Amino acid sequence: MKLNQQIHHAEAIARLVGVQDRNLLVFKQYLGVNVSVMGSEIITDAKEKHLPLLEAIFSVLIELAEHQVQLSERDIMYIIKLAEKNELEGVFDLYKNRKRILINDQGRSIYPKTFNQKHYVDAITNYDLVFGVGPAGTGKTYLAVAQAVAELKNNKVKKLILTRPVVEAGESLGFLPGDLKEKVDPYLVPLYDALYDMLGTQTTLSLMEKGVIEIAPLAYMRGRTLENAFVILDEAQNTTRVQMKMFLTRLGFASKMVITGDPSQSDLPKGIPPGLNEALQLLDHMDDIKIIQFDKLDVVRHPLVQRILERYDGDES
C-alpha cells in the first residue's frame, strides 16, 4: 500500500532511510510494520488503521530530510513516539534549528535531541543553578558535561568540577581492594566516560593533572567556595538533606551548577529521605533557579530494548 507522501530527491531519500535502510527497520522493530521506499513512493504493509499514524510521521520525516537534516535511528524512534502521543507540533523546528553544543573528540556534533533536552540546554545557558530530574537514559548527565566542556573551551569558566555522592549499594567500600581513590573511582566511571567522549582520554587526563578538571566524591566539596567553575552534581537522589544543603551553598561568583538525578531511584538506606526531593520542593518557583523535568518520552532506546522493558513492566504489574 502506498502512503500519500512522496519523496523525490536522491539525497533526501538517503537521509531519510539511513545507512542500509536502518531507519526504516525501526518501523518493523517497534510498530511491527514493513516500510520501504520505491522510487519516490513510500510503500508499507501496515493495516489501514495504522496509515494515519504513518502518514503523520512521514510528513515530518520527509520535510526534515528535504531540508538537509540527517536522521538517525534514534531520531526516527523519538518522532514515532511523539506521533503516537499526537505531539508532533514543533518537531521540525526542534531538528532544523537545533544549536550544536560542541563537536566531540571523534568529530561528532552533539545536539539536544528531544524537546526537554532543548529546554534543559537552554536553561543551563541562561541560569546559574539548574536541576535536571527524571528517568535514567534521558541525557541529563551527558548534556550537562557537554555544556560544561563547551563553556570551558569558550573560556566562560576556568574549571570543571564533576561530583557524585558515594553510596554503597550492596557491597561495602571497605571490602574492595585498593586505596580510597581506587575504591571510589568505580562510582565515578560514568563521569569519566562522558569526558573521554567529549575531549578524548589523553586531553581529559592532562586537564585533570593540571587541576582544570576535577572528578571527586561529594564529600570533597565540603568547606569550599567554587568560583569561575562549572559544577555538576550527578546522581543527586543519593544525597542526604545535609549533603544537598552543603553542595548548594558552595556556589560562588561566575559559576554554574547543574544537579541531576532521578527522585524515584534513591540508594540511600531506608528511613533517610533524599536531599534531592526536599530541594526540589523548597526551591520550586524561585526565579533564578530552573527545574527541568524529563519523562519516559525522552528515553529513546533501541526498539528491542523498549519491547523487553514493556514485557518486564507487564509481568511486574
Side-chain angles (χ1 to χ4, degrees):
M1 188 177 297
K2 297 178 184 178
L3 298 185
N4 289 329
Q5 288 80 4
Q6 292 187 334
I7 183 166
H8 297 284
H9 303 102
E11 296 86 352
I13 293 172
R15 284 189 286 268
L16 173 61
V17 303
V19 178
Q20 296 180 336
D21 291 355
R22 292 195 63 85
N23 289 352
L24 300 182
L25 184 60
V26 175
F27 290 91
K28 177 64 174 177
Q29 293 171 324
Y30 183 64
L31 294 176
V33 300
N34 289 301
V35 177
S36 59
V37 176
M38 299 181 65
S40 63
E41 307 285 350
I42 299 167
I43 310 298
T44 180
D45 63 359
K47 294 180 180 177
E48 197 163 334
K49 65 179 182 180
H50 286 138
L51 293 183
L53 176 67
L54 288 175
E55 289 182 347
I57 292 166
F58 274 94
S59 178
V60 171
L61 294 181
I62 290 170
E63 188 177 15
L64 287 169
E66 289 182 342
H67 282 81
Q68 301 182 352
V69 175
Q70 186 66 50
L71 295 161
S72 68
E73 294 165 81
R74 191 187 190 286
D75 299 328
I76 304 295
M77 188 71 191
Y78 181 59
I79 290 169
I80 291 173
K81 291 170 75 174
L82 286 174
E84 287 181 319
K85 291 179 173 288
N86 198 26
E87 295 178 3
L88 285 173
E89 184 178 352
V91 73
F92 175 80
D93 185 63
L94 171 69
Y95 282 93
K96 178 59 181 172
N97 298 317
R98 58 188 176 181
K99 294 180 181 178
R100 183 171 60 201
I101 301 171
L102 83 161
I103 300 174
N104 76 354
D105 184 56
Q106 291 80 41
R108 180 169 58 87
S109 294
I110 297 173
Y111 299 94
K113 295 185 176 180
T114 71
F115 286 114
N116 281 333
Q117 286 186 359
K118 181 181 183 301
H119 299 329
Y120 183 51
V121 171
D122 289 344
I124 295 172
T125 301
N126 295 313
Y127 291 80
D128 290 340
L129 179 56
V130 175
F131 288 83
V133 294
T138 50
K140 303 182 300 291
T141 302
Y142 188 81
L143 288 173
V145 173
Q147 191 71 21
V149 170
E151 297 211 4
L152 181 68
K153 285 186 171 184
N154 292 327
N155 296 313
K156 292 183 178 179
V157 294
K158 296 186 184 304
K159 186 169 185 174
L160 303 189
I161 301 173
L162 291 77
T163 185
R164 273 184 162 195
V166 173
V167 177
E168 298 175 1
E171 186 171 13
S172 172
L173 284 174
F175 292 101
L176 294 174
D179 58 21
L180 179 61
K181 182 179 186 303
E182 291 170 324
K183 292 174 189 287
V184 165
D185 269 358
Y187 289 84
L188 305 173
V189 163
L191 301 178
Y192 284 102
D193 286 346
L195 283 171
Y196 293 159
D197 185 59
M198 308 290 172
L199 293 167
T201 304
Q202 292 306 316
T203 301
T204 299
L205 295 176
S206 174
L207 291 173
M208 290 177 68
E209 286 179 10
K210 295 174 183 176
V212 175
I213 295 177
E214 179 182 344
I215 303 178
L218 180 57
Y220 285 34
M221 300 298 110
R222 190 174 300 278
R224 303 172 63 181
T225 299
L226 307 172
E227 298 195 348
N228 291 298
F230 195 118
V231 192
I232 299 171
L233 170 59
D234 192 32
E235 297 289 337
Q237 74 274 6
N238 291 329
T239 60
T240 63
R241 180 183 193 276
V242 171
Q243 288 175 322
M244 178 59 76
K245 182 181 177 183
M246 177 274 291
F247 178 77
L248 289 170
T249 54
R250 299 308 95 199
L251 181 63
F253 290 104
S255 288
K256 283 184 181 288
M257 277 186 172
V258 179
I259 298 168
T260 71
D262 180 355
S264 68
Q265 296 292 328
S266 176
D267 293 319
L268 290 170
K270 285 186 177 180
I272 299 180
L276 175 62
N277 299 33
E278 182 187 50
L280 292 173
Q281 292 174 359
L282 289 174
L283 305 180
D284 195 17
H285 302 305
M286 285 185 65
D287 291 340
D288 298 330
I289 295 172
K290 192 71 173 175
I291 298 173
I292 303 296
Q293 296 275 355
F294 292 87
D295 57 37
K296 288 183 179 179
L297 189 60
D298 298 293
V299 184
V300 183
R301 297 183 173 97
H302 188 288
L304 185 57
V305 175
Q306 195 87 16
R307 286 163 54 203
I308 290 169
L309 286 173
E310 287 169 3
R311 290 289 180 97
Y312 272 95
D313 289 345
D315 184 64
E316 289 168 3
S317 62

